[in-house]
Amino acid sequence: MLVPLSWLKEYVDINVTPEELEKKLFSSGFEVEELIEVGKDISKVVVGHVIECEDIPDTHLHLCQVDAGEHGTFQICCGADNVKAGGKFPLALIGATVYATAKDHKTVEGVMTIKKGKLRGYESFGMLCSGVELGVTENMYPGAGYNGLVALPDDAVVGSDVKPILGLDDYIFDISITANRPDCQSILGIAREVSAILGNPLKMPATDYTATSETKDGFKVTVDATDLCPRYMAHYVTDVKIGESPAWMKRRLALVGIDSISNIVDITNYVLMEIGQPMHAFDEAYLEGNAIHVRRANENEEITTLDGQEYKLTNNNLVICDGVKPVAIAGVMGGLNSEIRETTTSVIFESAKFARDSIRKTARALGKSTDASSRYSKGVDEYSTVLGLDRALHLVEELGCGKVSATHVDVHTGNSVERKEMKVSINKVNAVLGITVPNDEILKIMKNLDFEPVINQDELTIQIPAYREDIEDYPDIAEEVIRMYGYEHVKSTFLPTAQLTMGGPTEHQKRKAKLKKVLCGTGAYEAIHYSFFSPSDLDMLRFPADAPERNAIRILNPINEDLSLMRTTLAPSMLNAMARNEKRGNMEGRLFEIANIFLPKQLPLTEYPDEHEVLCVGVFGAKETFFSLKGIAEAVADSINTKFTYVPCEKTFLHPYQTAAIMCEGTQIGYLGKVAYDIQDEFDMPESAFLMEIDLALLSKWFGKTPMFTPLPKFPEEKRDLALLMNKDITCGQVEEAMAEACNYIKSIKLFDVYEGASIPADKKSMAFTIEFTPKDEAFGSDSVDGFIKKILKNLSRKLEIEIRS
């Protein structure tokens, strides 16, 4: 929000420097992102009076004697065609700084310092300046747009600084307006705040006008969509004379980045910036049916906007129509078919309040952001709607560009623009702040904010202005009090339930950091995704209609459909991440994410959903296998001093024969497996991919498990390799369990090979293991380990019909 200091002074006396005002605005809740000094690059430029002006023979140059008052008289060589004796022009003295221009004399190429020069043998002791060289446009100062010197007024004091004359002594505050203060999206809104901060009275802009007796007979306004348009006001103006706006209006609009178009259009833009009320003016001659009709657009209804763009609308868009056709996209932009032209002789002024979410969605859907849609998206109050129209009609009368008729239509839902009374407890206000603000200070602050306060013992009664829609209860009053009283008065104190700690990470944070370190140690990189996914992701993963993953919370106002559901599983995000990596040439990798999933107890929501912290790991590439992912799972188990077991299971998006449930002491905590081939095709993944999810909320019961110390063996350990032949449906976990049952001396069992193919029956597979034996009280004898192997093989044969591979 750009706020020129000169415009601000129109409504409130400012007796502090711009820098001091910047600090005061910040301390009261308004961040000044930048304080712009309009003429900061211009220095030592004064009013010069040309005493003599002679042509230099055979050139376009002129040799001038220029009086600079107390600075002296200087010889200046000048090539401008409008220089003349007796004229007053900006004179840049030696050492002055101005803007350097290109050969076209229109394009600025930086800042230059004026030095003594010589042209065609004539010395020049400075430079007479054009508007471009001073950074002044036609809209900022009349005549500055001419491709020559800027002519200064006859009464300009010779030798005085030109900045005040050209408006280069101004400042512009670029203020960030928070979402809860849409009433400050205007010069007047900021002026109210400055008035309260400085304690100086606010001077309201004039809104009076005299309506003629002329009427527009039969004209009517109807609003079908009152939920999207709670107030619509229209006023008929006749005898319109389209022309230029006065210099003061063009200058103010230029300072906030708006070019002057014509007096009627400029009035609507001026009211937008001054009052914060978006307005529109329709050429009455192009409105058919003697009516305005506010309704939802028909499907595929078309309109061409003022900038010549054509749009197809939907039933979600609000349109302003005449008696026949759409003439504007409500709150966004007017239609080309009713624009103000040079031939316009009568207009209908529109001032309305539209629902902020409707305008925001329409602007986003059409990809059309305007100053009006930006204001409406943040919120416009009905007080400003009424004030804005009155101000526009006053300006029409002040500028003499039309006559205000008696035809005025106000269609609304009954919302009042009068003040609303509120009573709050002063003790509650002070309780929120944690300090006691004196009653006199509260009265002063509320009065400065125009709340018309009265205090009766503990009760504060205020009259809330209609433009302060953010004030709802005593916490809002507490905020108003403290931002004006000063945050420096708030004393640091503990909350009632606070405890003094040594600081540092919590136990949960420490465990999470340890887990991430373990995962990074396996070669995985952390991924961070949005907490949302697309409904199509659930379809691509083949989840059935009754799957719990489909019981997802829908976002009311999603960025787009691909981010419209709260995640109930991390799998789609990880699959998309692996697919993106492969499409960008990363053909192998390991990724992990630790994030929450959101499980509603019922839909629609009646209470907050359960949030479960989940670990998701994805590995992809030609070298990755089911067992490399299982190794990552084992690393997770080892980090919390527990063991996982694995049993076959099914997932709609994983390979039917390479999927396992992850169990911890009989409780399923997750799953892992190979991504099914058809799912890989859906995600366009050329390389094999594997996926694992572990519910850390379920696993948390094993966190903090104390590791058991095992002393180093006193005697040498022994290892044996076994290649075993078994049915295909037997899992590695079953084999390891049978081995461990047969011998108490087994320290570890590691799978190092799986084989299917030649020399192996079609219904069989070979698995090879390394078994490590650890002695306890004495060293193994020469036959001890062989005896262990026989027991193991016997148990494998009895329980699983496994035999040693020959």
Side-chain angles (χ1 to χ4, degrees), residues 292-304:
I292 292 288
H293 185 196
V294 184
R295 60 170 173 82
R296 285 179 167 84
N298 299 320
E299 287 295 326
N300 296 318
E301 193 166 22
E302 296 183 356
I303 187 173
T304 302

Side-chain angles (χ1 to χ4, degrees), residues 140-401:
M140 290 179 68
Y141 186 83
Y146 181 72
N147 190 19
L149 303 182
V150 177
L152 299 177
D154 293 337
D155 60 355
V157 178
V158 176
S160 63
D161 192 346
V162 300
K163 282 189 176 183
I165 300 171
L166 300 178
L168 294 175
D169 59 342
D170 206 350
Y171 287 81
I172 300 174
F173 297 86
D174 186 356
I175 302 175
S176 176
I177 308 298
T178 54
N180 67 319
R181 292 303 305 274
D183 60 295
C184 291
Q185 296 181 104
S186 64
I187 307 298
L188 179 60
I190 296 298
R192 292 190 194 108
E193 293 298 318
V194 173
S195 170
I197 292 168
L198 301 180
N200 295 334
L202 179 71
K203 294 174 279 188
M204 288 292 290
T207 56
D208 59 303
Y209 61 88
T210 303
T212 67
S213 59
E214 186 170 349
T215 61
K216 183 172 174 58
D217 295 335
F219 177 71
K220 62 179 182 178
V221 175
T222 55
V223 179
D224 291 347
T226 54
D227 57 324
L228 303 183
C229 178
R231 193 175 210 115
Y232 190 94
M233 303 177 70
H235 204 111
Y236 178 48
V237 176
T238 64
D239 292 338
V240 170
K241 298 177 181 63
I242 299 298
E244 283 194 27
S245 298
W248 61 266
M249 179 175 283
K250 291 198 288 187
R251 171 177 167 71
R252 288 179 180 176
L253 290 175
L255 289 174
V256 295
I258 298 177
D259 289 331
S260 175
I261 299 172
S262 68
N263 45 19
I264 293 295
V265 176
D266 288 354
I267 284 172
T268 62
N269 287 330
Y270 190 86
V271 170
L272 170 66
M273 303 310 300
E274 181 187 43
I275 308 297
Q277 173 62 46
M279 293 190 65
H280 189 66
F282 299 102
D283 187 329
E284 184 270 339
Y286 291 89
L287 296 181
E288 301 179 70
N290 203 24
I292 292 288
H293 185 196
V294 184
R295 60 170 173 82
R296 285 179 167 84
N298 299 320
E299 287 295 326
N300 296 318
E301 193 166 22
E302 296 183 356
I303 187 173
T304 302
T305 51
L306 287 169
D307 56 359
Q309 299 294 314
E310 296 181 1
Y311 294 95
K312 278 190 176 181
L313 306 177
T314 71
N315 192 243
N316 294 324
N317 307 134
L318 189 68
V319 289
I320 313 300
C321 306
D322 59 16
V324 176
K325 62 188 180 299
V327 292
I329 304 173
V332 180
M333 185 175 283
L336 191 62
N337 55 11
S338 60
E339 70 171 333
I340 302 300
R341 301 165 172 83
E342 291 183 0
T343 57
T344 298
T345 58
S346 57
V347 300
I348 299 291
F349 274 111
E350 166 197 280
S351 184
K353 175 180 172 66
F354 300 119
R356 67 180 73 184
D357 57 333
S358 171
I359 304 306
R360 182 170 59 248
K361 290 175 182 177
T362 294
R364 183 183 294 166
L366 299 180
K368 195 170 199 65
S369 178
T370 62
D371 286 335
S373 67
S374 176
R375 292 296 200 287
Y376 275 123
S377 295
K378 295 172 184 175
V380 170
D381 56 86
E382 292 186 43
Y383 173 86
S384 296
T385 302
V386 176
L387 181 66
L389 183 56
D390 288 345
R391 178 59 170 161
L393 297 176
H394 170 87
L395 290 170
V396 167
E397 197 169 81
E398 181 180 335
L399 271 56
C401 56

Side-chain angles (χ1 to χ4, degrees), residues 526-709:
E526 184 176 8
I528 300 175
H529 302 114
Y530 285 117
S531 296
F532 322 111
F533 59 22
S534 170
S536 62
D537 288 336
L538 299 174
D539 296 334
M540 291 173 70
L541 268 60
R542 310 285 193 269
F543 284 115
D546 60 347
E549 288 84 358
R550 288 192 180 273
N551 193 35
I553 303 165
R554 177 167 285 278
I555 304 299
L556 289 177
N557 186 28
I559 298 173
N560 55 51
E561 187 63 14
D562 290 341
L563 298 170
S564 61
L565 299 179
M566 301 291 288
R567 290 194 294 184
T568 53
T569 170
L570 305 188
S573 301
M574 186 58 70
L575 287 169
N576 278 307
M578 291 191 288
R580 280 194 301 272
N581 272 275
E582 291 191 7
K583 287 174 185 174
R584 294 173 185 175
N586 300 323
M587 304 310 292
E588 60 180 27
R590 295 181 172 189
L591 302 171
F592 75 89
E593 179 181 15
I594 299 175
N596 286 357
I597 59 173
F598 303 87
L599 307 176
K601 295 170 185 175
Q602 66 178 48
L603 290 176
L605 287 176
T606 57
E607 56 184 313
Y608 289 117
D610 289 333
E611 296 187 35
H612 281 214
E613 195 170 48
V614 172
L615 164 67
C616 185
V617 179
V619 300
F620 60 98
K623 298 179 181 179
E624 300 292 358
T625 67
F626 175 90
F627 298 103
S628 59
L629 183 60
K630 180 173 176 281
I632 295 176
E634 290 298 311
V636 173
D638 290 344
S639 71
I640 59 173
N641 304 302
T642 192
K643 295 289 183 182
F644 293 161
T645 55
Y646 308 88
V647 298
C649 74
E650 292 184 0
K651 289 284 181 183
T652 55
F653 52 93
L654 298 181
H655 193 289
Y657 301 113
Q658 294 192 49
T659 303
I662 304 174
M663 313 295 290
C664 188
E665 297 183 13
T667 300
Q668 182 175 342
I669 59 164
Y671 66 85
L672 77 165
K674 177 180 172 64
V675 178
Y677 295 119
D678 58 338
I679 302 297
Q680 282 187 217
D681 293 340
E682 287 274 10
F683 284 86
D684 195 21
M685 299 168 64
E687 295 292 340
S688 295
F690 300 84
L691 194 70
M692 173 175 72
E693 272 193 291
I694 294 177
D695 190 329
L696 297 180
L698 293 176
L699 187 62
S700 63
K701 63 187 291 187
W702 287 278
F703 290 166
K705 187 175 179 181
T706 304
M708 298 295 293
F709 172 72

Side-chain angles (χ1 to χ4, degrees), residues 25-228:
L25 283 167
F26 182 82
S27 65
S28 61
F30 293 89
E31 179 186 359
V32 179
E33 294 184 340
E34 185 179 4
L35 178 59
I36 304 165
E37 184 180 352
V38 176
K40 69 180 176 112
D41 295 322
I42 307 301
S43 65
K44 294 185 71 176
V45 180
V46 300
V47 176
H49 182 211
V50 179
I51 304 170
E52 299 177 8
C53 180
E54 299 178 357
D55 294 342
I56 297 177
D58 302 322
T59 73
H60 72 288
L61 299 175
H62 310 277
L63 187 65
C64 305
Q65 297 299 320
V66 183
D67 178 13
E70 64 183 29
H71 304 284
T73 300
F74 302 94
Q75 178 173 290
I76 306 291
C77 288
C78 177
D81 61 3
N82 65 334
V83 65
K84 62 181 181 179
K88 292 183 178 179
F89 308 99
L91 171 64
L93 304 171
I94 291 176
T97 54
V98 296
Y99 292 112
T101 61
K103 291 182 179 180
D104 61 3
H105 298 292
K106 295 179 180 179
T107 307
V108 172
E109 292 187 334
V111 179
M112 67 177 180
T113 302
I114 300 300
K115 300 176 181 177
K116 176 183 173 182
K118 183 179 285 190
L119 294 173
R120 300 295 177 96
Y122 295 90
E123 289 185 319
S124 185
F125 297 88
M127 184 177 77
L128 294 173
C129 302
S130 67
V132 176
E133 290 158 341
L134 298 176
V136 182
T137 65
E138 181 68 26
N139 285 332
M140 290 179 68
Y141 186 83
Y146 181 72
N147 190 19
L149 303 182
V150 177
L152 299 177
D154 293 337
D155 60 355
V157 178
V158 176
S160 63
D161 192 346
V162 300
K163 282 189 176 183
I165 300 171
L166 300 178
L168 294 175
D169 59 342
D170 206 350
Y171 287 81
I172 300 174
F173 297 86
D174 186 356
I175 302 175
S176 176
I177 308 298
T178 54
N180 67 319
R181 292 303 305 274
D183 60 295
C184 291
Q185 296 181 104
S186 64
I187 307 298
L188 179 60
I190 296 298
R192 292 190 194 108
E193 293 298 318
V194 173
S195 170
I197 292 168
L198 301 180
N200 295 334
L202 179 71
K203 294 174 279 188
M204 288 292 290
T207 56
D208 59 303
Y209 61 88
T210 303
T212 67
S213 59
E214 186 170 349
T215 61
K216 183 172 174 58
D217 295 335
F219 177 71
K220 62 179 182 178
V221 175
T222 55
V223 179
D224 291 347
T226 54
D227 57 324
L228 303 183

Side-chain angles (χ1 to χ4, degrees), residues 498-509:
Q499 294 180 342
L500 186 63
T501 69
M502 295 298 293
T506 64
E507 286 303 315
H508 175 264
Q509 291 169 332

